[in-house]
């Protein structure tokens, strides 16, 4: 059993969360965050993104329904808020800073230092924001509002929409449930790769999605087998 002391003093899920595009300059934001239930859905009206009544702690990236989160409350709470304070430096020499969320169930709105970065809907896919112009040298405050309703119109996989799961249904998973991390990237960088093998022709088609000005760039792919280069 993990004790509360052990949980808050270590970083859960410390591994780099996206092994197909590993970069050396990154920072894991998992761990203890401030947290609040917003059962009356009054946080936006009261400006919780600026200064909210965050009266709990939660261990990210575990949903509040999980015991590993430090809360372990299975009751429905459709609207929840997160806050995390971290230190950072603004990137220099034309580099940029990306804020990544592995997954947040279901609809997330994100603020950094009181500035709204944007929203994302969908509980099973990663999303990112460029925070180069929002991050400060020194202390920064990240706030996330999550809405996860019990509506049957909301895609939920096999999560149950009532309080207790029955039959083949699973417990609900609300909020941040995958790693949150910061990553420094060049002005132009590979955002996404698509690798399509053709076994009949023994070839691999490589498609790279570039973020930024790619006019003066070339892409080189090297295939290595047992430490030996086999194709370029």
């Amino acid at each position: 059993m993990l004790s509360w002391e052990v949980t808050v003093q270590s970083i859960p899920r410390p591994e780099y969360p996206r092994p197909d595009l590993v970069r050396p300059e990154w920072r894991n934001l998992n761990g203890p965050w401030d947290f609040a239930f917003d059962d009356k859905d009054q946080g936006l009206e009261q400006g919780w993104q600026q200064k909210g009544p965050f009266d709990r702690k939660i261990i990210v990236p575990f949903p509040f329904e999980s015991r590993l989160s430090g809360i372990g409350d299975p009751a429905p709470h459709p609207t929840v808020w997160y806050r995390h304070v971290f230190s950072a430096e603004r990137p220099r020499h034309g580099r940029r800073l990306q804020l990544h969320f592995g997954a947040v169930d279901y609809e997330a709105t994100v603020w950094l230092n009181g500035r709204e970065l944007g929203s994302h809907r969908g509980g099973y896919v990663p999303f990112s924001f460029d925070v180069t112009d929002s991050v400060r040298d020194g202390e920064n405050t990240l706030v996330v509002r999550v809405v996860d309703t019990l509506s049957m119109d909301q895609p939920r996989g096999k999560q149950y929409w009532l309080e207790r799961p029955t039959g083949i249904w699973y417990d609900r998973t609300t909020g941040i449930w995958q790693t949150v991390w910061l990553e420094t990237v060049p002005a132009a960088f590979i955002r996404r790769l698509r690798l399509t093998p053709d076994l009949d022709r023994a070839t691999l088609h490589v498609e790279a999605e570039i973020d930024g000005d790619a006019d003066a760039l070339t892409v080189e792919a090297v295939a290595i087998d047992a430490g030996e280069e086999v194709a370029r």
Side-chain angles (χ1 to χ4, degrees):
M1 178 182 295
L2 293 175
S3 69
W4 175 260
E5 288 77 13
V6 171
T7 301
V8 300
Q9 290 178 6
S10 60
I11 297 179
R13 302 291 301 272
E15 69 278 4
Y16 186 84
R18 191 190 53 204
D20 56 342
L21 285 174
V22 177
R23 296 188 175 96
E25 296 182 34
W26 74 287
R27 178 179 175 184
N28 196 320
L29 296 183
N30 291 347
W33 289 38
D34 299 327
F35 183 78
F37 292 125
D38 187 7
D39 292 340
K40 295 182 180 180
D41 196 16
Q42 60 189 5
L44 279 178
E45 181 180 349
Q46 296 182 359
W48 290 13
Q49 66 271 30
Q50 300 293 336
K51 185 177 181 181
F54 293 91
D55 55 353
R56 296 172 179 262
K57 291 288 186 180
I58 190 169
I59 303 301
V60 170
F62 304 114
F64 69 77
E65 295 93 343
S66 166
R67 292 183 180 180
L68 289 177
S69 71
I71 297 177
D73 183 353
H77 297 280
T79 305
V80 298
W81 289 75
Y82 297 79
R83 181 177 63 192
H84 185 60
V85 178
F86 63 92
S87 296
E89 294 182 359
R90 300 195 66 183
R92 305 299 196 267
H93 308 299
R95 298 177 68 80
R96 306 196 67 80
L97 187 63
Q98 301 282 311
L99 171 64
H100 298 283
F101 291 83
V104 181
D105 197 356
Y106 168 70
E107 183 175 355
T109 304
V110 183
W111 293 264
L112 182 60
N113 299 323
R115 177 181 181 182
E116 183 175 337
L117 301 176
S119 299
H120 178 268
R121 180 179 296 177
Y124 305 101
V125 293
F127 59 96
S128 304
F129 298 103
D130 187 317
V131 298
T132 308
D133 297 329
S134 301
V135 74
R136 302 169 179 166
D137 287 330
E139 186 176 281
N140 293 266
T141 301
L142 176 64
V143 174
V144 182
R145 175 182 183 261
V146 181
V147 178
D148 184 25
T149 71
L150 301 181
S151 170
M152 290 297 293
D153 295 330
Q154 175 181 308
R156 61 181 61 256
K158 292 182 70 175
Q159 298 179 57
Y160 204 36
W161 55 93
L162 299 179
E163 185 167 351
R164 295 290 182 181
T166 59
I168 64 171
W169 301 99
Y170 302 150
D171 287 306
R172 288 177 307 280
T173 299
T174 298
I176 300 172
W177 67 280
Q178 292 291 341
T179 294
V180 183
W181 81 100
L182 292 167
E183 182 176 55
T184 304
V185 297
F189 63 97
I190 296 176
R191 176 175 292 278
R192 188 175 293 108
L193 281 175
R194 176 177 293 177
L195 308 178
T196 307
D198 186 334
L199 299 182
D200 295 330
R201 296 183 174 84
T203 61
L204 178 68
H205 179 73
V206 180
E207 183 178 353
E209 179 182 328
I210 307 298
D211 193 306
D213 184 5
D215 289 344
L217 301 180
T218 59
V219 176
E220 183 178 56
V222 180
I224 298 174
D225 182 26
E228 298 291 333
E229 180 179 324
V230 296
R232 179 180 294 265

